Amino acid sequence: MNADESSLRSPGSAGRVIVAIDGPAGAGKSTIARRLARRFGLLNLETGAMYRAFALKALRAGIALDAIADLAKLADETHIRLEASGDENRVLLDGEDVTALIRDQSVTDAASRVSVFPAIRAWMVRLQQEMGAAGGVVMEGRDIGTVVFPRAEVKIFLDAAPEVRGMRRFDQLGPRPALQPDDVIRDLRARDERDRNRADSPLKAAPDAVLLDSTDMTLEEVVKAAEEIVSARLAELAASHETRIDRA
Ligand code: DC
């Protein structure tokens, strides 16, 4: 852990718990994860950024996004790190800060394509498990509560109607977007389709996840609901801990 990471954990924080946030693109996972991390003194780890960084490397290397043998070889030669920077993540690809580059639409699409391959997923999952092993993290992605940390203390599955998620994404594109809202919604549906239907760890809610549908909610309402879910679970954990101590 580096100094940035430890400074994100405040006294009286949620300690070593793991909060898993999963859901489709544009559901608001990143914002919610960031706010939860701040509120509960946890380290925020955004796993989508890791798939994006690898996709960027594949694009740069000119590797076809369905050439699994070449992609697996590339993965063997790749170092990806997430570093805490404030309550955001800096993404390092072989030591290069690619944080700004991985938000490009071409990388977004490529990340969804390379993430279907089991060899790539197994590598990413291993890295993510190492990063979260000590606990005290909010980890956000598609398979955190199902595959990466199936025993996470708190699991939230964040969802919203595709049109609403698409419009949120469109609004983030800035004042002169190159795309129309319909294009953004179409891309998002295509990504949803791939993420939900891939054979290896498809996007789905863990059976014990709390579902939070933000279609008709404001951001602040979603943050409040997510904070309440975490607080309630922490209280439950504290109570069961006390019960165990009483019985000892
Ligand atoms: O969350 P995001 O949009 O930055 O993720 C980019 C892509 O990475 C997404 O289309 C699916 C993939 N991904 C994944 O398969 N598993 C994760 N835990 C996180 C992201």
Side-chain angles (χ1 to χ4, degrees):
M1 190 190 298
N2 60 34
D4 279 347
E5 291 173 10
S6 57
S7 68
L8 282 175
R9 297 188 188 159
S10 52
S13 75
R16 301 170 76 84
V17 297
I18 294 176
V19 178
I21 314 239
D22 291 302
K29 298 186 300 294
S30 304
T31 311
I32 302 305
R34 205 176 307 132
R35 294 281 297 267
L36 288 178
R38 201 182 302 161
R39 162 83 160 72
F40 294 98
L42 301 166
L43 177 63
N44 175 25
L45 297 172
E46 190 197 345
T47 61
M50 301 169 71
Y51 287 92
R52 286 170 179 270
F54 178 64
L56 173 66
K57 183 157 174 176
L59 288 174
R60 282 174 168 178
I63 293 178
L65 299 175
D66 57 358
I68 179 56
D70 294 344
L71 289 171
K73 185 163 172 291
L74 189 74
D76 281 343
E77 302 157 359
T78 302
H79 293 277
I80 292 173
R81 267 173 52 84
L82 288 184
E83 263 186 21
S85 166
D87 52 9
E88 312 242 336
N89 285 166
R90 237 161 51 96
V91 190
L92 299 177
L93 171 63
D94 300 323
E96 176 192 353
D97 186 342
V98 294
T99 314
L101 300 177
I102 58 171
R103 298 293 150 194
D104 193 81
Q105 184 57 35
S106 61
V107 178
T108 301
D109 183 65
S112 160
R113 291 175 191 278
V114 298
S115 66
V116 302
F117 295 115
I120 305 300
R121 301 203 67 81
W123 166 53
M124 291 286 177
V125 167
R126 213 168 41 244
L127 283 176
Q128 291 154 12
Q129 287 172 335
E130 279 167 24
M131 290 189 310
V137 299
V138 178
M139 195 173 276
E140 174 252 295
R142 304 289 190 289
D143 58 346
I144 310 306
T146 49
V147 177
V148 182
F149 286 113
R151 299 182 62 187
E153 285 82 359
V154 189
K155 298 184 189 179
I156 298 176
F157 191 87
L158 197 58
D159 207 349
E163 298 75 19
V164 172
R165 290 187 282 116
M167 282 314 293
R168 287 178 189 160
R169 273 285 145 93
F170 179 74
D171 291 341
Q172 288 166 356
L173 293 178
R176 285 158 156 248
L179 298 169
Q180 297 296 314
D182 281 355
D183 300 327
V184 178
I185 294 171
R186 196 195 50 235
D187 289 349
L188 191 122
R189 282 187 191 275
R191 247 184 352 126
D192 276 4
E193 180 77 11
R194 256 194 311 269
D195 291 350
R196 288 186 204 268
N197 295 316
R198 66 181 174 228
D200 186 9
S201 30
L203 167 68
K204 64 168 192 263
D208 52 348
V210 182
L211 302 183
L212 191 50
D213 187 324
S214 70
T215 304
D216 297 317
M217 295 168 87
T218 63
L219 173 67
E220 287 311 315
E221 286 170 341
V222 186
V223 170
K224 187 161 176 281
E227 286 180 352
E228 282 169 6
I229 292 167
V230 177
S231 295
R233 186 74 185 112
L234 292 179
E236 229 174 81
L237 288 170
S240 74
H241 183 68
E242 275 164 24
T243 313
R244 279 201 305 274
I245 290 173
D246 287 349
R247 284 207 194 112

